[in-house]
Amino acid sequence: EAGAALDLLTGPWLEPLSGERLRVSPLVADAGVKTLSKAEQLVVHSAVAESLSTGERLNTNDLPQLLLSSMRAGSRQGLEVVVHAALLGKVPDAIVARVLYPLAFMRTDRVLFASVPAVNVMLRVAQVKVAALNELANEAEQAFKRLEEEVMHVRGGKVLRDTAAFRSAITRASVWA
């Protein structure tokens, strides 16, 4: 029975959170990396990305996991959900800044999502926004510089770049000082 199995795992393996949610215990957080093959890890991340991105309503607390799993699995759908949450104004900026904080620190020495340049550019715009919201001037600047290079490969990319610059400037003018 699924409920009984879940009850057995709760405690040492899973920690209960508010809203009937569970989190993997930090004690076993890296167990999947240590025990699953790369192919099996990809399957897990794909399933997580699909599950989190296809629901009727996204819990904003799931955005960090959706970002991570989508990046690892190469999930266009998952990354589109992340950038829409970050850029369309449906999620308050304070929440975007908090839950997508890791996005500010993603690498700027290479493309984030090579298979779909338009999604990559939107993700980079989100990176600039998150860095600016968190007043991380260096990270915002580095992400913006990379964005300037990447927009050349996307139709309408320059508009996205200009929007990112404007949005960042009005969001946290002190970042650019």
Side-chain angles (χ1 to χ4, degrees):
E1 184 174 314
L6 190 58
D7 288 341
L8 289 173
L9 293 172
T10 302
W13 307 106
L14 298 173
E15 297 176 348
L17 299 174
S18 63
E20 297 184 18
R21 299 171 56 81
L22 297 169
R23 174 178 64 189
V24 174
S25 168
L27 298 173
V28 295
D30 62 348
V33 174
K34 290 180 178 177
T35 60
L36 299 176
S37 70
K38 295 285 185 195
E40 290 169 321
Q41 291 175 40
L42 180 61
V43 169
V44 170
H45 282 293
S46 294
V48 169
E50 182 179 340
S51 174
L52 293 177
S53 63
T54 57
E56 287 181 25
R57 192 162 179 249
L58 177 68
N59 183 324
T60 55
N61 291 321
D62 290 334
L63 284 170
Q65 184 62 56
L66 179 57
L67 174 63
L68 172 71
S69 289
S70 296
M71 290 295 291
R72 289 195 176 161
S75 171
R76 176 184 181 160
Q77 178 178 328
L79 291 174
E80 286 176 346
V81 170
V82 169
V83 297
H84 288 158
L87 300 177
L88 294 183
K90 294 180 180 178
V91 178
D93 283 349
I95 293 173
V96 168
R98 179 177 52 83
V99 300
L100 291 178
Y101 185 77
L103 180 58
F105 298 97
M106 287 195 170
R107 297 180 69 156
T108 57
D109 62 339
R110 64 178 183 207
V111 173
L112 292 171
F113 191 65
S115 62
V116 184
V119 173
N120 177 71
V121 166
M122 290 188 298
L123 193 58
R124 192 68 74 189
V125 171
Q127 183 181 28
V128 172
K129 177 182 178 179
V130 170
L133 287 171
N134 284 291
E135 299 184 5
L136 301 166
N138 186 54
E139 287 76 8
E141 181 181 3
Q142 293 304 313
F144 188 77
K145 285 179 180 178
R146 183 62 191 212
L147 174 63
E148 287 184 305
E149 296 170 20
E150 293 171 350
V151 296
M152 301 307 170
H153 308 290
V154 176
R155 191 179 77 198
K158 290 182 181 180
V159 172
L160 287 170
R161 179 204 58 208
D162 294 345
T163 302
F166 178 75
R167 173 75 184 199
S168 297
I170 63 169
T171 301
R172 297 278 189 221
S174 63
V175 168
W176 305 106

